[in-house]
Amino acid sequence: MENLEIAIIDANTLTCMGLKNLLEKLLSGAIIRTFPDFPAFADDTPDMYTHYFISSQTYILYNPFFLPRKEKTVIMMHGAGTHTFPASNHIVNIFLPEQKLTEELMKFFSDNPENMERLPAEEDLSAREIEVLILIAKGLINKEIAEKLNISLTTVISHRKNITEKLGIKSVSGLTIYAVMNGYISPDRI
């Protein structure tokens, strides 16, 4: 496990210290640095790290950086449940008991990438469904979407139904987070 350089990016000092302590016990010789926020991390040399452990909030805010690096990125989740994160992201539930958390962390450093926990893949959205999703994220209602895309209101409703079924996300806020996290729209365009 030599030559591993790991960045932990989270505003929660205890989370950073605890995860760093666990990783140091598991990975002798690894270099582990903690950062309170993304700007502090960006001031370092971000691409030198083999893994990034980040909070879900950091992922949402800075996904233009992390999305193309998702193989190296591990999102620290606060408990289990339904997630609006893109498929194939690596996740770790930091509310697990120490022994189980240790086992989960080791999966990220095994030679077998199949061991890594990933969120299940959702069905792909069509190009038109992505257009509708972007307009939903921008706050447009069905009638406005129909006018903007020059399609019928019934077609918009059908696309929305397909999107929510494929993604398993029903709320506008959940769809908006999904659109941002998948890079369909940047947070400043919402």
Side-chain angles (χ1 to χ4, degrees):
M1 302 279 174
E2 292 182 30
N3 300 325
L4 284 179
E5 294 196 40
I6 300 166
I8 303 170
I9 309 157
D10 196 326
N12 185 319
T13 304
L14 286 175
T15 300
C16 287
M17 290 173 58
L19 182 57
K20 182 177 181 180
N21 186 340
L22 275 175
L23 291 173
E24 286 173 341
K25 286 180 188 176
L26 296 172
L27 309 168
S28 62
I31 297 169
I32 303 165
R33 293 189 179 93
T34 61
F35 301 92
D37 54 32
F38 185 82
F41 167 70
D43 285 343
D44 197 31
T45 312
D47 282 319
M48 76 178 181
Y49 294 99
T50 52
H51 288 83
Y52 313 110
F53 282 82
I54 61 171
S55 67
S56 54
Q57 295 86 356
T58 300
Y59 186 86
I60 291 169
L61 292 172
Y62 300 100
N63 89 338
F65 176 83
F66 292 108
L67 192 59
R69 296 165 179 85
K70 79 164 118 180
E71 288 303 315
K72 297 167 50 166
T73 303
V74 180
I75 303 169
M76 297 182 292
M77 300 300 297
H78 298 269
T82 20
H83 308 293
T84 55
F85 291 100
S88 76
N89 274 296
H90 304 298
I91 60 167
V92 64
N93 177 358
I94 60 173
F95 280 8
L96 294 173
E98 183 178 355
Q99 180 61 36
K100 182 70 174 154
L101 181 57
T102 301
E103 291 169 14
E104 291 298 310
L105 289 172
M106 282 310 296
K107 291 179 182 179
F108 296 107
F109 304 102
S110 74
D111 292 332
N112 184 357
E114 295 302 314
N115 286 339
M116 290 189 181
E117 181 178 348
R118 295 173 188 252
L119 294 173
E122 72 280 341
E123 294 182 46
D124 289 334
L125 298 178
S126 70
R128 181 60 90 177
E129 288 167 344
I130 292 170
E131 287 178 306
V132 171
L133 177 64
I134 291 168
L135 295 175
I136 291 169
K138 287 183 176 184
L140 275 65
I141 61 173
N142 290 347
K143 183 178 177 185
E144 293 169 324
I145 294 170
E147 290 171 4
K148 184 113 175 141
L149 297 178
N150 199 24
I151 57 178
S152 74
L153 182 59
T154 307
T155 303
V156 172
I157 292 168
S158 177
H159 284 311
R160 279 186 86 134
K161 181 179 176 269
N162 291 340
I163 292 167
T164 58
E165 285 178 359
K166 286 180 179 180
L167 301 180
I169 303 169
K170 295 184 173 126
S171 69
V172 172
S173 59
L175 292 171
T176 302
I177 290 170
Y178 180 87
V180 169
M181 294 186 68
N182 275 288
Y184 295 133
I185 189 169
S186 64
D188 59 346
R189 292 190 56 218
I190 298 174

